[in-house]
Every structure is written in structure tokens, then in C-alpha cells.
Amino acid sequence: MEDIKKYFETFLHWKQLKMTPQRAFILDEFLSSQKHISVEELHRKIAQKDSTIGHTTVYRTLRLLSDAGLAREEDFGDGIKRYEYESEHHDHLICVSCKKTVEIFDNQIESMQERLAEVNGYILTGHKMDLYGICAQCMDKAPSDADEDSYKKTVNSKFMKLSPLGLLKNGTKARVISFTPNMNLPKDVSDQRKERRIQEMGLRLGKTVEILNNGARGPILLKIDELRIAIGRTAAMDIMVEVED
Amino acid sequence: MNSMIKIAVAGNPNAGKSTLINALAGTRLQVGNWSGVTVEKKEAIFNYRDHIINLVDLPGVYSLSPFSQEEIISSDFLIREKPDVIIDVVDATNLERNLCLTIELMELETPMVIALNIFDEVEKKGYKINTDAISELLCTGVIPTVAKRNIGVDALLEAAISAAVNRSKPKRLIYNEDIENAVSMIETSIKSLPAQGQSDKALPRWIVYKLMEGDEKIRGDLEPIGVSVDIVSDALKHLTDVHKESVRDIIAAARYAQASGLTQEVLTRPEIRREELTGKIDKIVLNKYLGIPIFLFVMWLVFKLTFDISGPFTDWINGSVTEVLKKWALFLILSITGIEWLSLLVSDGIIAGVGFVLSFVPVIFAIMFFITFLEGSGYMARAAFVMDSVMHIIGLHGKSFIPIVLGFGCNVPAIYATRTLENRSDRLLTSLLIPFISCSARLPVYALFVGVFFSENSGSVLWSIYTLGIVLAIIVGLILKNTLFKGKSSFFIMELPSYRVPSWKNLFIHSWEKGKHFVVKAGTYLLAMSIVVWFLFNMPFDAQSKRDSYLGRFSSSFTFIFKPLGFGNWEAVSALITGVMAKEAVVSSMAEIYAPKVNQNKGENTLSVGEDIKKMTLSFFSAFNLSLSNLFSNIGIPSISSKDTEEVVNIKTAIRKTFTPLSAYAFMAFVLLYMPCIVAGIALKQENGTWGWFFFAVLYQFVIAWGIAFLIYQGGRLLNLES
């Protein structure tokens, strides 16, 4: 416990901040709480003992802990951020259908990540890895053709060169796979409209596009058959493509 | 006598539709608006062989989905007005994309002819399109056309007429079994309705598909015959169960599939493709470093050419034509009726007003000509591309830059040009920023004051005024984006058409259309205003000086507002009030006030018709000459006023007495900002629908103008610049 506090103090010092009694208190409470605690939950717990500590302070301190690599920020798809102390590190396997989450750990992956950081000249302070898939129960529940397809897509995506359109370099050719980065989320009306508009302009699902001009800023110029289409960067980041060789 | 054949012309944007329309109807085209909206409507009625043709141009659309104004107009027209035949203009170089609309239009089950436009480029690229196959597969006439060079236009019209006369419907395409089953279920249940008053005729496929997509409007239309939600939802059950997508997506995908299948069947591309010219030009024009400089250079060139070419003609209209006409009107009316005020009203009120409107004509036409050229050549879309990241700063897309640049010429066409923007709030925000851009009408005011007070460094003072406008546009844009227009930025997608050399005929027809629109719209208001102002300025008739006129008295009571700005005198205020009509009226009013004309005509007796006509013609040719030589002369800002008449000297002396350099600068800034001229204001109202935004613009601009002029004047005084 003491060396965690020591480490956090060093981190704060490096950020030109100080270890205030409030921060120390929040750290203690956080470390002694159960796994995956949300800001609200932690604040409620703290407020019972010290009502002077506000919600914002708790939130900010948790962010600092997260920056320091002491807390892991998680979002299991319900929009609520939960935090967890990184004592024993583990990653997550999340079912896209029922949101069930399993903790996983693999030494080989961990050491490969260390090496990747090292190669790029980084010292690793933390990481999070969430793998998405369909859990066994969900798979047993009478998979229809469409589910099978999306499952295959998810599985294959690791082997395909899947990328947002906006990240491709000039001259790259790629096939349009999806108009949203998350294929499993339902589309709302504005998404549908946008998708429709993009498709009408000629940027259709399954079409091969060539990147003609992708600068650091501004829109991206694409060529589809004989068409030249300029698309805004934000929209282009939402379009998922499979890079062709 | 044959009855009228109604032809609707539909097609994608950039398919060369308007060129084709021009080739078909030429000068017989009437330009108006679709009722209730600001989308342009072109229509022509003419005789061809023994038919009366009513040609209606539909807005360029990618589909008939109900998402944009243009799409709603097109589908409403096609459904309600029931044209006899549709001409579908297809860009043959982009067959697949264009055919999607074709497929959708076929669902309307109206006789149809396909114009495979821009066919020359298809041949140039070495592509082969099997037109017979298209015709056979779709059961429509297919005519290759090159609208730019009038090729295939007559054949197209013939084909359209024969399709209309024979009532030959295009083929009903079967998309897939599931869709087909749902359609037949709906059709059977509609047929079995007791109130099926519509005879045995089945509904066009397009309507059935719209019902399936859940289109409220179409369903509402069919409610009287008993079509209910249940009929539709029952039929869709299987379709949505199997496909797990919205019906709209299923049908759209089916159409795309048809279009791409058809394209594969009829189009052969050569194996080896050389890099096209468009690609090569784009590499330079859209280059990371060169893009913006090239764009700025192009814009500078456009403005230089516009003003160089139109300047001499403007002077000619102002000088020769208006002056001569005024002289004659004054003489004739005075000698016939003997009523002095009437002759003055006609000459100084009406003819001066008309002349004033006419003096806009050369510059408006010239600028429209170049803008049309940039649009037609394909560069305009590149400009939008290049400027997009810059415009993002104030929450607008690159497309907005074009109207804003147009604002330097005249705010009015600039505000009209916001139509090209898709999103309503983008249109509004852009048109609210345009008045900050110093239009050419404000230039005479600056020219006068700069000439009097800053002749040493006129260039930099002028530049600073223009820059002030731009900087304020950016600041206000930022403020509006973060307040009224928060989070409303839409996503950006735009087609960059291939580069093409626009044809002269089209350039002239389009600039004529755009220019005419301005002259008629703006001209009417300007004329009315100029008569009103004349009355205010000259009544009561027994006034000893302009100060005692209604306008003078009115202005005198408001001078206190302008005291802190350094020009709290009735002369300046009167001039500003007349400037509401049009900013350059500030100058002519000052002329009236400071150098009232003594009735100089009475003494002169040079009223010889021959002499005047000779003078007008001669000066026209010298204007023409000057305009040509300007074109080839070395680069530089055209001189604003080369020679001062006696009148101008008088005004300048008077101005020097009432203004200091500092208050003159504050005055210029005020003129730049205080409100869009009445015509621009009306354009703003027309384009955005409500008077609310008009008053908002007037008010916030006035506040900004006052604030800036105050800062300049009082700040300058603090810095001891008042001399």
C-alpha cells in the first residue's frame, strides 16, 4: 500500500501537482473497494465518511490514477465508466450480443506488448485490451444466417486489413465494408440518412475505392470507378474498409 | 391540333443536364422558382414539328428519397403532375451511379427516354457502351448525346415525343423474390379494397415501394381509398424477418444491384487505362502546399478580369447613357408639361435610379460569367475541397467559401449562391457572414474618402478595410457557431466532376440567367427605393437647402447616435440613410448635399439627337477598347478615379471640412459594416424564409458597426491620431 502511495506521489510531482489529504483519502478508498467501481459508487462511499469531498474531485483523482496507470478505465458498453485497481493485470473478452465480460490473461500477449513498446522507444505504463466476440451461450441461441455473417465478419476482421477509410494513405485501394465502426450498434435516423447519402453519391458497400488525396487535414478525395468523391474526415473515419493489396 | 406534351427532364447533378436543357430549349427557357421554395425551376413551352412541348427541368438529384428539398420537389412533380414522358439525363462516363436514378425513375412507370450524355468522352476514353442492350433490357429509348455540341439533341426530342405518343412504358424490373412477394401482397389487398375507385390500374411500383418504406406522405395520399398501415406491415413481415435491415435499405440495395448488374452487361472498359488529365490537374491543384495559393491566385484573377472588363462599361452607362437620357427627359418633360418637380422626379429620381441599376449590369454579368466558367470547368468543386479545412474553423464547409468569395463582387448574388449548400443552417450562417465581405458597391465610398484623406497610402488603407471585414466575419462566425449554431455542422460529401471546357453558348446562357435574375429582382426594389429617397430628399419643394428636406430634418434628430463615432453631422447621417438602399448611394447623396447642382441644363442648348447618339456610340467603342486593353495590360488595380470633374472637386473640399482622417476612417468602417443593403437584406429574407433573420442581420450588424467605429474613433483619439 505504501509504495503505491509513493508511486502516485511521484507521478503527481511529475505532473506538478501535490499529494493533498483529499487525494490520499480517495486513493485509500479506491484501493480498498471492490472491482469495477464507477465514479458515482466511489463518491457515495467516500461521502459517507467525508462529505467535503465533491463528485468532481473524485472524478479528477480517478482520472489521475488512470493516467498514472494505477486505475483502469472500463466501459462495458453501457456508457458508464468504471475503474479498477491494476493489481493483477488482466484483459477482457466481451460478448457483443449479451455484453457478458470475461477476464483473460496471456503471458505471451503481455510480453509482446512490452516488446512493441520497447521497439517504439516507449516505457509501458499501462494498457487495456478488449476483445469482442460472441459468447458460447449466444452462439447456441439458433444462429440465423445474418448472425453467422456478422460473426464471420468479426472473426475474419483480425486477418483482414480492416481500417477506417480516413486513415488510408494516397494510392491505397480498399473495399467498403461498413458505414459505422461498430457494426453491432443499431443505426439511428441520422446515421441512416448519412449512409443513404454516401451510397447515393456512389460510395457503396462492396465498392473498391482508391485514395487520391488524403492530407493531414481537410476532406479526403476518393476515386470510385470514374467518380471523384470528396468526403469529410469525420465521415471518412466512420467508414470501415478492407485494404486491398 | 395536337395536345401539349409535358416532358420532365431528370438526372444526377453534374450530368450535363442544364447544358442539355439549353440545347433543347435555348432562349425559350423561363427561369423561376418552385412554389414556396428557393430551388430554381426552369421551364419552356415551344413548338416542335406539330407538337407543343412543355419542358420542365427537375432539380439535379441522386435519388427520389425524401431527404432534401430537391428530391421532394422532383418526386412530387413526377407523381402529381404526371408528365407524359421523362428524359433521364445520364452521365455516360459514370454509368453505374447514374443508372441508379434511372432504375428508380423506371419504377414510376411513365414513358421514358435515356440521354447518354457526355458520350464523346466515353469514346475518347475507349469505353464501349452497348446502347441497344440498354434499350432492350430497360425497354426505353436510349440516345447518345453530346449536349455541348448539340449532338443527338433532335433525336432525343423525337424519341421522347414518340415515347409519349405511344405511351410505351419502361420495363418493370423484378428486384428479388422477397420484395416481389411483398409487393404482390400489397397489390392484392389494395385491389380488394371496397373503395378502390381508381379503376383496375395498379399503382406504379415506386408508390408501392414508398409505402413499404413507410413514407408517411404517400400513405396519407392513399388513405382515402383505404390503404392502412396494417396492409403494409403484414406484407413486410417476411421481408424484414429474413433481411434484418430496414425496408428502405433492402430496396436501395436492390436498386444498386440492378444498376451495377446492368453496367457490367453493357459497358466494356479497355484493359489499359492511361492516367487522365483530370487526375494530373488534381495532383497540382489539390496539392498540400500549392492548393491554397493556386486558389487565391484564381480568385484574384477572376476579380481582376471582372473589374477590368466591366469597369469601362459601367462608366459608359453612368456617364454617357444616363447623363444623356437625364438631359433629354428633363428637357422634354419641362417643355411639354412645364412642371419642374415632375421633370426632376423623372430625370433625377426615376432615370437616375434606372441608370443606377443598369450600372450594375456589366459587373454582375462579368462576375457571373467567370463564376459560371469556374463551375462549368470543374474547378469550383476543387476550391471547396481546398478551402474546407480553413472554413472548418468557423464551422462551415469548403462549399461555403464560394458564396463568401462572391460577396466581394456583390453580396446579393453571394447570398443567392448559398443555395448550393445542402444544410439549412449552413446556408443561414453563410448568408449572415456574407455582409461583412466588402462588396464592390462599397468601393466608391472608400475611393472617395481614401482619395481625400489617404491618397499617399491608399492601397494599404483600402486593404485594411477589406481585411477588417474578413476578420470580423471570422470572429462573428466563431461566435455564432458556438452559440446559435452550436453543433449543427453537417457532414461533408461532394462530387468533384471531371475537368471540362465549358462551351461559350452555355457560359453566356447561364451568366445571362443569373444576371437577369439579379437585375429584375434587385432592380425593382432599387428603383422603388430610389424614388422614395428622391422624394425624401427633395420634399418639401420649397426647402431652401437639403438640410430642410424631410431627410435632412430626420437625420438631424439622429446625429447624437453618431457623435461618439466622429461623424455626428446631418450630412453624414443622411448619406448613411440613403446608403441603406445601396452602399454607393452614400457617395451620390454626399454629392447632392455638398455640391447641389444648379440647374445647369437651362443654359445649355446642345440638345441635338445626332450629336448625342454619336457621342454614346463613340464612348461605347472607347469603353470596349479600354476593356480589351485592360485585359492585356499589365497587372495592377484599376485606377479608381482618374480625372476629377469640377463636381468631384467640390465634394472633396466639402468633405475635408467636415471630416478628419480619423473620423473618415471610422466612417469607412461604419459603411463597411452597418447593414447589408436593402437588396442583400431582402435576398437574406428570401433565402431563409423569414423576416426574423432579416431584422436580426440588420440589428446585429448595426451594433457591430457602431462598436467598431466607436473603437476606431475613440481609440484613435486616445492615441492622439486626431489631427
Side-chain angles (χ1 to χ4, degrees), chain B residues 443-460:
Chain B
L443 191 59
V445 186
Y446 310 147
L448 181 68
F449 281 86
V450 166
V452 174
F453 294 105
F454 309 101
S455 51
E456 312 268 285
N457 37 18
S458 57
S460 22

Side-chain angles (χ1 to χ4, degrees), chain A residues 8 10 85 180:
Chain A
F8 190 47
T10 325
Y85 169 56
T180 49

Side-chain angles (χ1 to χ4, degrees), chain B residues 496-531:
Chain B
L496 302 194
S498 296
Y499 289 104
R500 277 165 200 151
V501 181
S503 77
W504 285 102
K505 188 181 159 194
N506 263 299
L507 281 179
F508 281 115
I509 290 178
H510 282 291
S511 26
W512 167 248
E513 278 168 3
K514 287 175 189 162
K516 196 173 76 178
H517 190 76
F518 162 79
V519 173
V520 174
K521 274 258 153 67
T524 325
Y525 288 112
L526 270 181
L527 185 59
M529 282 295 286
S530 76
I531 292 170

Side-chain angles (χ1 to χ4, degrees), chain A residues 140-157:
Chain A
D140 286 337
K141 268 187 270 163
S144 69
D145 287 356
D147 277 342
E148 191 84 44
D149 272 351
S150 87
Y151 170 68
K152 269 187 199 148
K153 250 181 214 167
T154 322
V155 171
N156 283 338
S157 66

Side-chain angles (χ1 to χ4, degrees), chain B residues 195-358:
Chain B
Q196 211 267 348
Q198 305 268 14
S199 73
D200 318 303
K201 253 208 225 149
L203 292 166
R205 272 299 153 102
W206 190 78
I207 302 237
V208 180
Y209 292 147
K210 282 283 145 180
L211 276 176
M212 289 165 62
E213 289 176 2
D215 190 302
E216 288 293 321
K217 215 162 103 197
I218 299 283
R219 203 178 55 76
D221 289 348
L222 292 174
E223 215 138 61
I225 63 160
V227 176
S228 64
V229 187
D230 297 340
I231 289 182
V232 183
S233 58
D234 284 350
L236 294 181
K237 225 178 188 124
H238 177 68
L239 194 63
T240 42
D241 274 357
V242 175
H243 291 271
K244 304 226 168 216
E245 264 179 301
S246 73
V247 181
R248 187 171 269 155
D249 286 348
I250 298 170
I251 295 175
R255 286 185 190 128
Y256 298 150
Q258 290 283 336
S260 78
L262 188 64
T263 311
Q264 272 171 22
E265 202 122 327
V266 300
L267 176 72
T268 12
R269 295 190 180 119
E271 284 295 308
I272 311 146
R273 281 197 250 172
R274 60 199 166 81
E275 195 186 5
E276 296 157 283
L277 186 63
T278 299
K280 285 183 199 158
I281 299 176
D282 273 350
K283 276 208 176 113
I284 303 165
V285 163
L286 302 181
N287 179 287
K288 219 187 325 180
Y289 305 105
L290 295 176
I292 290 178
I294 289 175
F295 169 72
L296 293 176
F297 174 74
V298 169
M299 278 297 142
W300 175 83
L301 201 65
V302 164
F303 277 91
K304 157 133 180 86
L305 289 176
T306 302
F307 289 106
D308 279 6
I309 290 174
S310 65
F313 291 105
T314 305
D315 289 348
W316 173 71
I317 290 171
N318 269 342
S320 307
V321 181
T322 315
E323 284 311 311
V324 171
L325 286 180
K326 266 163 81 174
K327 202 168 73 182
W328 276 88
L330 197 66
F331 170 76
L332 286 176
I333 295 169
L334 199 60
S335 50
I336 292 167
T337 63
I339 309 168
E340 195 186 349
W341 71 264
L342 185 68
S343 65
L344 281 171
L345 169 67
V346 173
S347 73
D348 286 356
I350 297 172
I351 293 182
V354 173
F356 176 59
V357 174
L358 285 180

Side-chain angles (χ1 to χ4, degrees), chain B residues 270-504:
Chain B
E271 284 295 308
I272 311 146
R273 281 197 250 172
R274 60 199 166 81
E275 195 186 5
E276 296 157 283
L277 186 63
T278 299
K280 285 183 199 158
I281 299 176
D282 273 350
K283 276 208 176 113
I284 303 165
V285 163
L286 302 181
N287 179 287
K288 219 187 325 180
Y289 305 105
L290 295 176
I292 290 178
I294 289 175
F295 169 72
L296 293 176
F297 174 74
V298 169
M299 278 297 142
W300 175 83
L301 201 65
V302 164
F303 277 91
K304 157 133 180 86
L305 289 176
T306 302
F307 289 106
D308 279 6
I309 290 174
S310 65
F313 291 105
T314 305
D315 289 348
W316 173 71
I317 290 171
N318 269 342
S320 307
V321 181
T322 315
E323 284 311 311
V324 171
L325 286 180
K326 266 163 81 174
K327 202 168 73 182
W328 276 88
L330 197 66
F331 170 76
L332 286 176
I333 295 169
L334 199 60
S335 50
I336 292 167
T337 63
I339 309 168
E340 195 186 349
W341 71 264
L342 185 68
S343 65
L344 281 171
L345 169 67
V346 173
S347 73
D348 286 356
I350 297 172
I351 293 182
V354 173
F356 176 59
V357 174
L358 285 180
S359 69
F360 268 103
V361 173
V363 69
I364 293 283
F365 277 96
I367 199 147
M368 286 307 173
F369 181 86
F370 290 114
I371 294 298
T372 315
F373 180 84
L374 289 185
E375 265 168 4
S377 67
Y379 182 73
M380 213 48 138
R382 270 77 185 177
F385 182 90
V386 167
M387 290 310 292
D388 193 67
S389 52
V390 178
M391 293 303 286
H392 247 86
I393 301 167
I394 50 170
L396 288 169
H397 291 310
K399 276 191 203 172
S400 296
F401 197 76
I402 296 158
I404 287 179
V405 165
L406 284 181
F408 283 108
C410 177
N411 287 181
V412 179
I415 291 172
Y416 282 124
T418 57
R419 290 170 184 210
T420 51
L421 309 176
E422 272 171 38
N423 187 303
R424 191 176 170 275
S425 70
D426 286 351
R427 283 200 293 272
L428 187 54
L429 180 54
T430 311
S431 42
L432 286 176
L433 296 184
I434 285 171
F436 288 107
I437 302 303
S438 192
C439 65
S440 60
R442 283 167 243 190
L443 191 59
V445 186
Y446 310 147
L448 181 68
F449 281 86
V450 166
V452 174
F453 294 105
F454 309 101
S455 51
E456 312 268 285
N457 37 18
S458 57
S460 22
V461 170
L462 255 180
W463 179 86
S464 73
I465 289 282
Y466 274 84
T467 314
L468 178 68
I470 297 167
V471 169
L472 280 169
I474 294 171
I475 294 172
V476 172
L478 274 173
I479 293 171
L480 288 178
K481 182 202 163 192
N482 288 309
T483 52
L484 285 174
F485 295 89
K486 209 167 183 174
K488 284 187 182 164
S489 187
S490 65
F491 82 104
F492 174 82
I493 187 161
M494 185 180 64
E495 184 179 348
L496 302 194
S498 296
Y499 289 104
R500 277 165 200 151
V501 181
S503 77
W504 285 102

Side-chain angles (χ1 to χ4, degrees), chain B residues 158-172:
Chain B
E158 300 269 354
I161 291 169
S162 89
V165 172
N166 301 327
R167 305 220 44 79
S168 54
K169 287 185 181 174
K171 193 171 180 177
R172 181 178 281 185

